[in-house]
Amino acid sequence: MTNNAPIGVYDSGLGGLTVWREIRRALPGESLLYLGDGKNCPYGSRPREEVQALADAAVGYLVGQGCKMIVVACNTATAAAIDFLRAKYAAVPIVGMEPAVKPACLHTRSGVVGVLATERSLDGELFRRTAERYGHGIEVLTVPGRGFVELVESDREATPEAEACVRAAVEPMLARGADQIVLGCTHYPFLLPVLERVVAGRDVTIVDSSPAVARRVANLLDERSLRAAADHRPVYTFHTFADEAYRQRLETKALADA
Ligand code: DGL
C-alpha cells in the first residue's frame, strides 16, 4: 500500500457523501474511493447482526481495493460494527461516526438536546455510552428520523413531503425546549434546507459531526505518516453494490455538491 492509495469512504447509500465532501474539502490532496452500498439501503431498521455482516462485506471490499484508511461514514454501521471491523481489519486504520452529542451538551443553554438518528443507531451501545458520558444533567431526547433516508435516496429531500416528515420529528423536540439538534445519520445533512425552515425563528443550533470526522481523518493521516505525496493528483471514484445507474447517481450528487 502506498501513501497515494485512496481513503475509502463507505455508507449504506448516498448519505456518506455528506462526509465525503467534508473530507475532500479538508484534504484536497487525497484520492477518495466512495462506496455506497445501495443494494441493501436502508440499514436503519435491520437487526444489528445483519448490519455488521453488511459492513464487514463493504470494508472487506475497500481493503481489497487497496484503501490506506477507511471511514465508515454511516452512524448505523458504526454503532453496529466498529469494534468488530477494527479487530478484523487491524492493518487498516478505520474511522467511525459518532453523533455530536458532546458539543451539543456543552453548548445547550436550555438543557435540552434533541438527537435524530436511525432506530438501530439509537438503540446501540455506542449511543447509550455517549449520551451517558456527556448528558449529565441534560435531557437528551432521541427521535428516529422515520422516512428521512428514503426521502434522500429517492431525491425527494426538497419536497413538501420531506418538510412534513421533518416537522413531525422535530416539533416535539422544540416543544420540549431543545435548542440543539444533533444529526446522527449521515443522510440527514441533505435535509438541512428543510430542517432550517422548520426551526426558523427559533434559537436552535443544528449540529453535524462530519467536519469533526474530516479533522479526525486528517490527524490520523499525520499520526500514521499516511499523507499523499505533495505532487499526487487526487482521483475520485465511486463504487456500489447496486447497479451502474446508482453508481452514476453517487458520482453526480458528489460532484454537483462539492
Ligand atoms: N447513513 C446512515 C447512517 O448514518 C444509514 C442510513 C440507513 O441506511 O438507514 O446512519
Side-chain angles (χ1 to χ4, degrees):
M1 197 196 316
T2 72
N3 277 30
N4 291 342
I7 298 169
V9 182
Y10 152 62
D11 179 46
S12 63
L14 297 159
L17 292 174
T18 61
V19 180
W20 178 94
R21 71 185 172 194
E22 293 297 336
I23 297 173
R24 184 184 170 188
R25 220 172 268 158
L27 295 161
E30 296 293 332
S31 288
L32 304 177
L33 188 164
Y34 186 85
L35 171 62
D37 177 335
K39 194 170 159 195
N40 304 290
C41 185
Y43 283 8
S45 47
R46 291 176 186 275
R48 198 190 68 79
E49 299 69 33
E50 210 173 303
V51 176
Q52 180 170 301
L54 293 170
D56 184 12
V59 170
Y61 176 86
L62 292 173
V63 170
Q65 294 287 315
C67 292
K68 64 180 176 182
M69 182 180 290
I70 291 167
V71 182
V72 179
C74 176
N75 293 76
T76 308
T78 302
I82 197 75
D83 293 341
F84 166 85
L85 296 170
R86 287 190 176 128
K88 178 160 178 182
Y89 303 99
V92 183
I94 302 180
V95 175
M97 300 298 301
E98 194 179 309
V101 174
K102 179 183 171 185
C105 288
L106 288 174
H107 292 118
T108 181
R109 295 166 310 278
S110 66
V112 185
V113 165
V115 182
L116 293 165
T118 67
E119 285 169 76
R120 180 59 51 245
S121 296
L122 291 175
D123 75 6
E125 179 63 15
L126 185 67
F127 179 73
R128 203 187 51 72
R129 263 189 273 140
T130 311
E132 250 172 32
R133 192 141 116 232
Y134 304 112
H136 272 295
I138 287 164
E139 191 180 357
V140 180
L141 305 172
T142 59
V143 175
R146 290 220 171 80
F148 288 19
V149 169
E150 290 82 348
L151 286 164
V152 172
E153 286 291 324
S154 56
D155 284 330
R156 287 178 295 146
E157 66 236 45
T159 58
E161 186 192 356
E163 189 164 333
C165 198
V166 169
R167 193 176 294 283
V170 169
E171 283 290 3
M173 294 178 169
L174 299 177
R176 291 275 285 274
D179 67 347
Q180 308 278 319
I181 295 181
V182 176
L183 304 184
C185 168
T186 55
H187 279 73
Y188 298 177
F190 282 127
L191 290 157
L192 210 51
V194 170
L195 201 49
E196 274 166 354
R197 269 206 299 280
V198 171
V199 304
R202 318 227 192 185
D203 197 7
V204 169
T205 307
I206 297 166
V207 197
D208 172 16
S209 56
S210 50
V213 171
R215 285 195 296 275
R216 172 76 192 126
V217 172
N219 289 338
L220 202 53
L221 287 178
D222 289 336
E223 276 168 32
R224 308 281 173 107
S225 305
L226 279 174
R227 288 244 183 196
D231 63 353
H232 174 62
R233 303 251 312 259
V235 180
Y236 304 117
T237 54
F238 298 85
H239 297 229
T240 183
F241 295 151
D243 56 11
E244 174 55 21
Y246 192 82
R247 199 204 63 74
Q248 274 176 22
R249 277 185 69 207
L250 291 171
E251 182 160 347
T252 308
K253 201 167 177 77
L255 300 174
D257 228 66

